[in-house]
Amino acid sequence: MNQEFPTFPKECKSMLCKHLTKEVFTSLKDKKTSSGFTLQDAINSGVENIDSGIGVYAGDEESYDTFAALFDPIIEEYHSFSVDDKHKSNLNPNDLKAPNPDPEGKYIVSTRIRVGRNIDNLPLGPAITKEQRNEVEKQVSSALKSMSGTLSGVYYPINGMSEEVSAKLIEDHFLFKAGDRYLEAAGLNRDWPEGRGIFHNDEKTFLVWINEEDQLRIISMQMGGDIKEVFTRLTSAISEIEKSVKFSYNSHIGYITSCPTNLGTAMRASVHIKLPKLAEDMDTFKAITDKHHLQIRGIHGEHSESEGGIYDISNKRRLGVTEVECVQDMYDGVVALIAKEKSL
Ligand code: ADP
Ligand code: DAR
């Protein structure tokens, strides 16, 4: 294993290059978790990709303790969440105040709310073995087979999927491809596409990605802006799956995920929304998204650009806030953005 303290170029702005001091490196370089995950494994993505925002991934829940000297300051800075803080969860849709903000469908093209989940007592994607990953696929796809009513559907393993089916699912934003260079360097694409696949219900409003960045991405999505209906479907699906799959969770950092940015609720609630007038005044646009703790992405996922004045707007906060608060953040921000767009 490389025992050299990595030298980062001055243009590196990642949280890794900020918080991996020589002292932290020296204190952690010889440690490994019970799944054999080392400091080098945790930082490889940020060492190979100096344009990372964060640059670190956990190989198991233990990584967050074993490498706490590096993870804790990153978690504190990204989430404004200290080592003594406790996460809390609330998946009750009755607590969400969110009448459809765009009943005429003038602005919101589609709504998607997802959570990441990982199975308790198994390594995360960066450290999991091929056999363990195949076991995850078997356990989760079998749990999904018992989904009933509007949640019932079909599981499609990516291994052996026809190019035609794959292209159509990707075009519909339903399927994931092999991870980007950040995920590649984190070891999340090992054995691709073995053990990976997608489940979706007949209406394609409920989807589960198996073994992407996390072992499950549980997704509820539909056209239009009925955010409460999307959230309600998601919470029903989560509780159904939880009847047969135990998720990795702890009282400090909530649901355990491979990337520290997703800890806590592991929830991203997003709309694809048309804001052509606001797009001409990005200072005002960003003042509103900043005020409501929102992130702006492009419409083809993380690191993509917006197209035709359509933006992916989602909650930025995930840890130290409940799932209801994540969706409320997004909802309140969308109401403010639509009001501003109307006024221009
Ligand atoms: P994630 O949200 O799963 O962390 P991405 O930002 O890469 O990851 O989004 C994953 C996929 O979901 C992308 O194809 C993206 O276009 C799609 N997506 C995200 N939000 C929406 C939305 N509100 N409506 C439709 N598709 C969406
Ligand atoms: N590109 C990596 C990941 C940051 C958060 N996004 C995730 N987890 N998909 C980075 O360090 O910038």
Side-chain angles (χ1 to χ4, degrees):
M1 187 195 86
N2 182 350
Q3 295 286 342
E4 287 298 306
F5 178 60
T7 47
F8 295 100
K10 64 182 181 336
E11 64 269 21
C12 179
K13 299 283 182 281
S14 69
M15 291 203 184
L16 170 64
C17 63
K18 178 177 177 182
H19 293 290
L20 186 69
T21 61
K22 197 146 175 58
E23 293 69 31
V24 167
F25 178 80
T26 305
S27 70
L28 298 179
K29 66 184 176 60
D30 299 321
K31 290 178 183 282
K32 65 169 72 174
T33 68
S34 46
S35 49
F37 197 70
T38 65
L39 174 68
Q40 188 56 48
D41 296 327
I43 67 173
N44 192 60
S45 184
V47 168
E48 289 195 10
N49 299 284
I50 57 157
D51 62 339
S52 293
I54 312 298
V56 295
Y57 288 85
D60 42 31
E61 180 178 2
E62 208 180 314
S63 297
Y64 287 107
D65 291 326
T66 306
F67 307 113
L70 175 60
F71 276 105
D72 282 353
I74 289 175
I75 290 166
E76 177 141 22
E77 180 176 347
Y78 185 87
H79 293 286
S80 308
F81 188 84
S82 80
V83 288
D84 303 320
D85 287 334
K86 292 285 175 216
H87 180 70
K88 55 194 186 309
S89 178
N90 178 7
L91 279 154
N92 182 349
N94 297 328
D95 293 344
L96 178 68
K97 314 278 177 286
N100 189 336
D102 179 27
E104 293 158 21
K106 289 175 67 178
Y107 303 97
I108 301 176
V109 177
S110 51
T111 300
R112 174 184 183 268
I113 306 177
R114 65 82 170 158
V115 292
R117 290 289 186 271
N118 291 284
I119 296 181
D120 201 23
N121 291 325
L122 267 180
L124 301 167
I128 201 165
T129 66
K130 180 159 67 172
E131 294 69 31
Q132 289 169 324
R133 189 188 301 111
N134 291 341
E135 181 52 34
V136 167
E137 181 190 31
K138 186 163 163 252
Q139 191 182 348
V140 176
S141 57
S142 133
L144 292 168
K145 279 197 180 77
S146 59
M147 301 304 276
S148 58
T150 57
L151 296 179
S152 64
V154 177
Y155 174 64
Y156 301 91
I158 296 182
N159 226 353
M161 184 184 281
S162 71
E163 277 297 314
E164 187 192 351
V165 169
S166 165
K168 180 74 181 82
L169 289 171
I170 288 173
E171 182 199 327
D172 293 339
H173 299 269
F174 293 146
L175 184 59
F176 59 97
K177 296 175 278 190
D180 59 25
R181 57 190 163 90
Y182 308 97
L183 302 184
E184 171 70 29
L188 281 157
N189 287 342
R190 287 172 300 123
D191 312 309
W192 175 272
E194 194 168 336
R196 281 80 172 191
I198 174 177
F199 168 94
H200 66 71
N201 66 347
D202 302 335
E203 294 134 27
K204 292 183 181 176
T205 56
F206 163 53
L207 305 97
V208 178
W209 291 353
I210 296 183
N211 288 318
E212 193 234 7
E213 182 176 328
D214 289 299
Q215 286 155 12
L216 293 87
R217 285 290 171 94
I218 307 169
I219 302 161
S220 173
M221 66 193 292
Q222 66 192 48
M223 303 310 284
D226 194 336
I227 293 165
K228 183 146 188 171
E229 184 172 60
V230 175
F231 185 54
T232 303
R233 180 187 304 116
L234 179 68
T235 58
S236 307
I238 292 169
S239 57
E240 275 305 303
I241 297 169
E242 219 160 15
K243 287 176 183 167
S244 52
V245 181
K246 187 170 181 344
F247 299 136
S248 181
Y249 181 94
N250 80 43
S251 61
H252 172 43
I253 51 177
Y255 289 101
I256 304 299
T257 55
S258 56
C259 177
T261 62
N262 280 312
L263 288 169
T265 60
M267 176 175 279
R268 191 169 90 85
S270 67
V271 291
H272 279 183
I273 184 169
K274 290 180 276 193
L275 298 166
K277 294 182 188 137
L278 257 177
E280 289 165 20
D281 178 0
M282 286 311 286
D283 289 346
T284 303
F285 194 150
K286 287 181 176 160
I288 297 171
T289 53
D290 288 348
K291 179 182 174 193
H292 291 278
H293 317 290
L294 300 182
Q295 185 182 32
I296 304 172
R297 290 188 184 187
I299 59 169
H300 298 292
E302 190 173 22
H303 308 305
S304 71
E305 299 302 320
S306 69
E307 282 174 15
I310 302 175
Y311 293 85
D312 173 323
I313 302 294
S314 62
N315 62 294
K316 190 171 180 184
R317 300 192 296 181
R318 305 211 203 305
L319 172 61
V321 286
T322 68
E323 290 81 358
V324 168
E325 288 168 327
C326 287
V327 184
Q328 199 70 60
D329 272 356
M330 184 269 272
Y331 176 85
D332 294 347
V334 164
V335 167
L337 288 166
I338 290 174
K340 191 65 187 169
E341 181 74 11
K342 280 179 177 170
S343 73
L344 294 174

